[in-house]
Amino acid sequence: MSRKINVAIKRQYDQSSGSQWEKFSVDYEPGMNMTTVLQRIAAQPVTSEGKDSTPVAYDACCLEEVCGACSMLINGKVRQACSALVDNLLEDKPDQITLEPMSKFPVVRDLVVDRSFMYNALKKVRAWVPVDGYFDRGAGPKMSPHEQEDMYPLTTCMTCGCCVEACPQINERSNFIGPQAISQGVLFNEHPVGKFEEDERMEALAGAGGIADCGNAQNCVKVCPKNIPLTRSIAKAGKMATKHAFKRFFGS
Ligand code: SF4
Ligand code: SF4
Ligand code: FES
């Protein structure tokens, strides 16, 4: 008899309905990840009790931990399904693997959540380099290798939501923009062209819901799959906010 993997999935039909757990048993295959498991369930959506069900909705795109679309709670920890290897999960919890949608975002269906919160926070901090045309403006300002090395890790953010999920300051009572938006604000403030919009960016970073709302619990940095130095970005944003406050006070 083939080896089975038991998976319990927290399911929800849409944003307004309640959730319930459903259990599935999937044939084990060497090298499987949790996206493969969800694909096998979609191909044959029958519960462990033998009842016909529906394919579990989930997001996925790159399948190599680059796009951030497949973030969910796997055995209670926020991470990407495509890089969660079944063999490793079974070592920790051989009886059953649990899958839940992230809790800080509205559920669209099953494991699919609406991550608009993060994109709106990126808009608030103007996380882009402004361009005023597509004509050739010649070479841009130079950056030293040291500056490039410093900034590169921040560019690997995939808006996956793990840091938002782990941050205790993000909840229904707060309007904190979160660690990812802070880090992206810092990245563009330090960019030689992006820094021309530093003042506008600082309005969001230093204003209500900005850096002052960070409780410094440092949960964010522990869960970031890209190992982005979020606490370093938070410290830099704090210094930028102080500088911005002085600038405003002295009107320069
Ligand atoms: S340091 Fe703590 S409070 Fe601040 S963004 Fe990270 S998890 Fe949230
Ligand atoms: S900072 Fe890290 S955890 Fe947060 S959204 Fe970006 S990649 Fe994900
Ligand atoms: S599918 Fe892109 S990170 Fe998992």
Side-chain angles (χ1 to χ4, degrees):
M1 208 169 88
S2 64
R3 186 177 165 197
K4 295 278 185 192
I5 308 160
N6 298 318
V7 192
I9 305 177
K10 196 174 187 184
R11 303 200 61 179
Q12 188 171 325
Y13 183 69
D14 59 23
Q15 284 199 22
S16 54
S17 54
S19 59
Q20 73 283 327
W21 289 88
E22 206 164 51
K23 291 183 181 172
F24 297 90
S25 290
V26 177
D27 285 338
Y28 171 85
E29 297 163 35
M32 283 179 121
N33 59 41
M34 286 317 291
T35 308
T36 328
V37 170
L38 288 163
Q39 284 169 340
R40 299 293 179 267
I41 293 171
Q44 207 177 348
V46 178
T47 69
S48 307
E49 295 88 37
K51 279 204 303 208
D52 283 344
S53 185
T54 51
V56 177
Y58 63 96
D59 260 335
C61 184
C62 68
L63 302 180
E64 52 182 353
E65 206 183 83
V66 172
C67 74
C70 64
S71 305
M72 59 185 73
L73 299 175
I74 302 176
N75 285 347
K77 288 192 190 132
V78 69
R79 56 183 301 184
Q80 283 66 54
C82 66
S83 55
L85 296 177
V86 167
D87 286 328
N88 295 345
L89 293 167
L90 291 178
E91 261 177 39
D92 293 343
K93 209 163 164 278
D95 301 341
Q96 179 172 270
I97 297 169
T98 58
L99 300 182
E100 296 165 75
M102 287 192 285
S103 65
K104 299 282 174 82
F105 303 92
V107 173
V108 176
R109 184 172 171 130
D110 295 336
L111 302 168
V112 179
V113 297
D114 177 357
R115 287 179 291 151
S116 301
F117 167 82
M118 280 192 295
Y119 298 109
N120 290 333
L122 289 176
K123 281 191 215 159
K124 280 186 196 161
V125 299
R126 303 173 75 84
W128 56 79
V129 170
V131 286
D132 56 5
Y134 292 97
F135 44 91
D136 184 2
R137 305 189 60 168
K142 282 194 176 154
M143 290 171 75
S144 71
H146 174 73
E147 285 169 326
Q148 290 170 18
E149 266 173 43
D150 220 35
M151 288 166 72
Y152 177 71
L154 310 196
T155 69
T156 62
C157 174
M158 53 184 180
T159 320
C160 68
C162 292
C163 57
V164 169
E165 178 70 17
C167 176
Q169 297 298 102
I170 295 178
N171 53 60
E172 57 288 349
R173 296 177 306 284
S174 96
N175 58 357
F176 182 37
I177 55 172
Q180 173 246 10
I182 290 174
S183 186
Q184 293 303 298
V186 167
L187 169 67
F188 287 99
N189 273 355
E190 291 193 323
H191 187 279
V193 180
K195 68 169 52 149
F196 289 117
E197 293 219 324
E198 182 172 350
D199 283 345
E200 290 89 336
R201 229 171 260 123
M202 288 316 298
E203 291 301 315
L205 283 172
I211 185 68
D213 284 6
C214 168
N216 211 20
Q218 307 197 0
N219 294 7
C220 50
V221 75
K222 290 180 200 144
V223 297
C224 176
K226 295 293 175 189
N227 294 321
I228 295 175
L230 290 168
T231 40
R232 197 177 72 193
S233 293
I234 287 165
K236 279 187 180 176
K239 283 188 194 147
M240 286 172 181
T242 310
K243 197 176 111 202
H244 181 69
F246 273 112
K247 249 174 103 177
R248 283 186 76 172
F249 187 74
F250 293 109
S252 60

